Amino acid sequence: MAEIDMPGDEVERLGALLRRVMDIIDTRPSGFDAAAVGPPLARSGGNFDKKWGDGRTQVKRNSKDLRDACEAIVKAFADADTQLAESLDGDDGSNGAK
């Protein structure tokens, strides 16, 4: 039987980090005010914020997809591990025999 080494903790951590990216990616809700920075950065900051809108949407969408995939991977391996353990314990009525 082959051994599969799945870094579950790392995949779970990646999902949490992606969740964090999604939480902080919006500059406006975080309180960013381009005018508060003062000249000459105010105009550049405002322009960046306006142009970043499309990129922000794409990054959030991709981050959500990756986060969902991380959660699905961790769940699938946990479910497979549980099912394998149950089959070895004989919980399926076969006592581990085929």
Side-chain angles (χ1 to χ4, degrees):
M1 179 185 272
E3 184 175 320
I4 300 174
D5 183 24
M6 202 285 287
D9 292 340
E10 288 87 351
V11 175
E12 215 167 348
R13 176 78 175 130
L14 177 59
L17 290 171
L18 288 165
R19 203 171 302 115
R20 177 79 173 125
V21 166
M22 292 170 58
D23 288 344
I24 64 173
I25 201 162
D26 287 320
T27 53
R28 286 192 180 114
S30 70
F32 173 75
D33 179 12
V37 216
L41 298 176
R43 185 175 47 193
S44 296
N47 287 340
F48 173 82
D49 196 49
K50 287 176 190 165
K51 291 179 180 179
W52 173 230
D54 291 338
R56 178 186 304 124
T57 300
Q58 185 68 32
V59 169
K60 284 175 74 173
R61 185 177 326 133
N62 291 344
S63 295
K64 181 187 180 308
D65 291 345
L66 288 169
R67 183 206 62 204
D68 292 347
C70 288
E71 290 172 358
I73 289 168
V74 170
K75 183 179 181 333
F77 270 89
D79 291 349
D81 189 48
T82 299
Q83 290 172 358
L84 182 60
E86 287 174 354
S87 72
L88 292 175
D89 288 341
D91 290 346
D92 62 357
S94 67
N95 292 328
K98 286 192 166 189

